[in-house]
Amino acid sequence: MKEVLVTGGLGFIGSETVVTLIEHGYHPVIVDDCSNAKEAVLERIETITGFKPSFYKIDIRDHQKLHEVFKEHSFFAVLHFAGFKAVGESVQKPLEYYENNLGGALSLLRLMKEFMVKNLIFSSSATVYGNPTELPLLETMERKEATNPYGETKIMIERISEDYVKANPEWNVILLRYFNPIGAHPSSLLGEDPQGIPNNLLPYVSQVAIGKRDHLTVFGNDYDTPDGTCIRDYLHVLDLAEGHVAALKKIEEKPGLEIYNLGTGHGSSVLEIIRAYEEATGLKIPYEIGPRRAGDVPVCYAGVEKAKKELHWEAKRSLKDACLDAYNFQKRNPDGIK
Ligand code: UFG
């Protein structure tokens, strides 16, 4: 079995990917500092898969401790999910974001170099495209300046990876640009578990659905879109997880540096998401229209041809399935994972 290091492997996307990796015969080793994830996720992974991955509770910037992990295992590849991810918070705490996200990536790259682990898959984001002037967004389009430090760290890590592969052509790095992952594992054991008030749409809607919050505020209905609300490309987190397995297969071909969008290729408005959620669950989601949120782009969706053609991957699950899985997870874990 191929050993793969998964940083941030207890988080929302990391944990679903760990499950999918196990199901595809890989042997994931998890490193997570639990700053935004619960240790209980590990047992849940075991409940779903019957396999308990090795787990190290460490900050990847701790060179010595991470060194031990590399010494104990023989990694075929690294999947790097670990990082701070709240856009708004990153504006308030830029130093923490640069220090954590860039420091973490550099520490990891240094150890990969030392141990000659030459395959990396990095969690990038559609945020690197900035405010789209042309749609769908294609991997060949220019990166724009980010509107917040979180996005800037994604851009910088992409650049660092490109420079590193230029200098070390025997390395392989796949940058996966995620669009909007939603949903949860159908077992309701794993899902998005934000601390405090959710920033993202789906966790907020789910908390309204179970009565934890009384209504959703839609951030603006005066955008230049058919119903006036912002459009995003929402994909089921399990489809996203499968995209990582497809990228791991690709990396065996020694592709050098490659970039892939992981999205559905279709945009949905905030009001369409509310309707899909209501249809999936049979519930009514009360909402109010509020002001725009700073930094939101009106429309964002992926061009998915490159991933289809080269990774043989495409998102298969429906919006309704994703909404139902998100709801079931929230219902079963009203106060998050414990
Ligand atoms: N929204 C609301 N009300 C809410 C929360 C969100 O109306 O309470 C709206 C937003 O205005 C936006 C849409 O729902 O139009 C989606 O918002 P999210 O916060 O869920 O997602 P974003 O597209 O803003 O952010 C996501 C990721 C970021 C990433 C960004 C750009 O969460 O990590 O995409 O790629 F940087």
Side-chain angles (χ1 to χ4, degrees):
M1 281 215 287
K2 285 199 167 93
E3 278 193 309
V4 291
L5 175 63
V6 185
T7 74
L10 297 184
F12 172 45
I13 305 171
S15 62
E16 305 277 359
T17 303
V18 164
V19 166
T20 307
L21 286 169
I22 295 168
E23 287 167 354
H24 283 79
Y26 290 94
H27 188 151
V29 172
I30 299 173
V31 165
D32 200 307
D33 68 355
C34 295
S35 59
N36 194 23
K38 312 266 171 57
E39 253 182 273
V41 167
L42 194 64
E43 288 147 40
R44 294 179 176 215
I45 291 171
E46 188 183 5
T47 305
I48 294 170
T49 63
F51 176 83
K52 191 171 189 171
S54 306
F55 165 59
Y56 300 85
K57 188 176 175 178
I58 59 175
D59 183 327
I60 53 171
R61 288 173 297 168
D62 188 331
H63 186 85
Q64 220 166 353
K65 286 192 183 149
L66 194 58
H67 191 276
E68 286 303 307
V69 178
F70 273 84
K71 226 167 73 183
E72 274 175 45
H73 299 273
S74 175
F75 296 123
F76 160 69
V78 176
L79 280 78
H80 179 37
F81 294 93
F84 292 162
K85 61 169 188 179
V87 174
E89 185 186 59
S90 80
V91 178
Q92 306 304 320
K93 301 179 174 173
L95 290 187
E96 282 87 339
Y97 270 69
Y98 286 117
E99 237 167 55
N100 186 66
N101 293 6
L102 298 181
L106 290 171
S107 161
L108 191 61
L109 285 169
R110 272 199 297 271
L111 279 160
M112 289 177 70
K113 185 172 178 221
E114 186 177 334
F115 285 85
M116 308 237 289
V117 180
K118 295 177 180 169
N119 298 324
L120 172 69
I121 295 174
F122 173 61
S123 306
S124 190
S125 163
T127 195
V128 306
Y129 293 113
N131 191 355
T133 45
E134 238 185 297
L135 287 156
L137 292 162
L138 302 176
E139 293 86 345
T140 46
M141 288 175 179
E142 243 186 324
R143 274 184 293 251
K144 304 258 184 68
E145 206 172 291
T147 54
N148 57 77
Y150 156 80
E152 204 56 53
T153 66
K154 294 291 179 195
I155 292 174
M156 287 178 179
I157 297 169
E158 286 203 356
R159 290 213 181 100
I160 293 168
S161 306
E162 286 173 352
D163 289 344
Y164 196 76
V165 173
K166 259 184 224 155
N168 300 275
E170 74 284 7
W171 267 55
N172 304 293
V173 178
I174 295 188
L175 306 172
L176 296 177
R177 292 179 176 162
Y178 307 158
F179 283 68
N180 289 56
I182 58 166
H185 195 270
S187 64
S188 304
L189 289 170
L190 299 175
E192 205 167 356
D193 183 18
Q195 297 170 7
I197 302 169
N199 296 311
N200 297 110
L201 180 61
L202 258 287
Y204 204 104
V205 171
S206 294
Q207 293 196 4
V208 172
I210 65 158
K212 210 172 160 177
R213 307 200 180 269
D214 52 66
H215 71 278
L216 170 78
T217 302
V218 175
F219 297 145
N221 68 347
D222 57 350
Y223 286 95
D224 186 13
T225 60
D227 66 21
T229 66
C230 290
I231 292 176
R232 295 286 180 276
D233 185 339
Y234 297 91
L235 79 160
H236 196 296
V237 66
L238 274 186
D239 282 323
L240 183 61
E242 286 166 5
H244 292 75
V245 173
L248 264 179
K249 298 225 166 88
K250 177 76 187 172
I251 234 166
E252 305 215 16
E253 296 170 15
K254 303 191 190 307
L257 187 126
E258 286 291 348
I259 303 176
Y260 296 100
N261 286 338
L262 296 183
T264 64
H266 303 287
S268 307
S269 73
V270 179
L271 296 182
E272 283 170 338
I273 290 291
I274 296 173
R275 268 198 298 280
Y277 202 100
E278 290 180 335
E279 276 173 31
T281 60
L283 297 165
K284 192 96 202 102
I285 303 296
Y287 69 88
E288 279 175 7
I289 306 292
R292 290 181 177 196
R293 180 172 68 177
D296 275 343
V297 302
V299 186
C300 169
Y301 58 91
V304 293
E305 289 312 311
K306 188 176 178 205
K308 260 191 212 169
K309 198 164 151 232
E310 297 182 18
L311 298 182
H312 313 292
W313 171 89
E314 64 184 305
K316 300 190 298 260
R317 294 164 178 87
S318 70
L319 203 53
K320 263 170 95 173
D321 284 346
C323 291
L324 191 57
D325 288 337
Y327 172 63
N328 286 333
F329 172 76
Q330 188 69 63
K331 204 167 57 167
R332 182 149 169 191
N333 306 272
D335 298 312
I337 292 173
K338 294 209 179 297

